Amino acid sequence: VRTLEGRYKYNSRNNKKLKAKRKITGIRALYFHYCYLLKVFPVKNPKQRLSAEIRADIRKMDKISEEARLLVSNDLKTNEQFFSFKEEKEKRLKELTDKRYELWYKHKKTNSVEEKEILSSQIDEINKELNPIRKEVVLCDDILTRSKEIEEKLSQEEKEQGKEVKNNECIR
């Protein structure tokens, strides 16, 4: 006669019977063991979260790297090239938004379903074009603000170094 003593565990809160998990044995256990060794499965302990300061620094670093990729991919080396690129993107952005506005106006005024579907597909295509252009314009604005901040910091540093040089000359 078989007994069920070892098969059940009890929940301490409400004394309900819980079925015990069977231990995996044999070739299946060996397979799981090797999968964990080869890191096919994730480690049992999850990764610890980074602190808020480190995450903010990572976001800032990602933003700067995106700006650098924009400058390198479009071969922008001088201020004139940069400003002409920005103006060109802003013009294109304005053209596409105007075109999209006109299409939406036609979309509202038409009554046929077929024309509405055609117009909405054209609007979707314009939206797909607009998203990367908007992103590039925002990156250009960020580059401008960052470059102004860097220029201010450099000028302050030069002033401080100039004061130090004058103080050192007075001491001699």
Side-chain angles (χ1 to χ4, degrees), residues 6-169:
R7 293 203 162 187
Y8 291 102
K9 289 186 179 179
Y10 291 92
N11 190 347
S12 62
R13 290 184 191 169
N14 52 11
N15 286 335
K16 284 190 176 180
K17 288 184 181 179
L18 299 175
K19 234 182 189 178
K21 292 183 180 179
R22 286 184 35 205
K23 189 172 184 178
I24 299 171
T25 59
I27 190 129
R28 192 167 185 208
L30 195 60
Y31 168 75
F32 285 125
H33 175 69
Y34 286 132
C35 285
Y36 278 109
L37 287 178
L38 296 172
K39 298 185 180 178
V40 174
F41 297 137
V43 182
K44 290 182 181 178
N45 298 330
K47 293 182 181 178
Q48 293 183 358
R49 286 185 55 110
L50 299 173
S51 67
E53 295 86 14
I54 293 176
R55 283 181 287 172
D57 289 341
I58 289 173
R59 279 193 300 271
K60 186 176 180 181
M61 185 178 62
D62 288 341
K63 196 172 188 180
I64 291 172
S65 63
E66 283 181 15
E67 292 170 5
R69 276 190 224 112
L70 175 77
L71 293 173
V72 170
S73 65
N74 295 302
D75 197 33
L76 303 174
K77 295 181 180 176
T78 63
N79 286 340
E80 293 81 22
Q81 290 175 339
F82 177 75
F83 288 118
S84 65
F85 173 78
K86 185 179 178 209
E87 287 176 18
E88 179 183 309
K89 290 297 177 180
E90 287 174 343
K91 271 187 200 173
R92 182 73 178 140
L93 184 68
K94 179 118 174 75
E95 290 171 5
L96 288 173
T97 52
D98 291 342
K99 186 175 178 183
R100 186 182 64 175
Y101 181 76
E102 292 171 7
L103 289 173
W104 270 114
Y105 186 75
K106 288 179 186 177
H107 184 271
K108 289 178 185 176
K109 294 296 178 184
T110 58
N111 292 331
S112 69
V113 176
E114 295 172 357
E115 283 184 43
K116 284 190 175 197
E117 288 177 3
I118 293 170
L119 290 172
S120 63
S121 67
Q122 290 175 351
I123 291 169
D124 289 339
E125 290 173 14
I126 289 175
N127 284 336
K128 288 177 185 174
E129 265 185 80
L130 276 174
N131 287 335
I133 294 173
R134 277 196 188 113
K135 190 174 183 181
E136 288 176 346
V137 169
V138 168
L139 285 174
C140 287
D141 292 337
D142 291 342
I143 290 171
L144 282 175
T145 56
R146 190 178 318 288
S147 64
K148 288 178 184 176
E149 289 173 3
I150 291 172
E151 286 176 4
E152 289 175 5
K153 287 179 182 178
L154 285 174
S155 65
Q156 288 177 355
E157 191 68 31
E158 288 173 356
K159 287 178 184 177
E160 289 177 11
Q161 286 180 355
K163 288 179 182 178
E164 288 177 10
V165 170
K166 288 181 182 178
N167 289 338
N168 289 337
E169 288 175 2

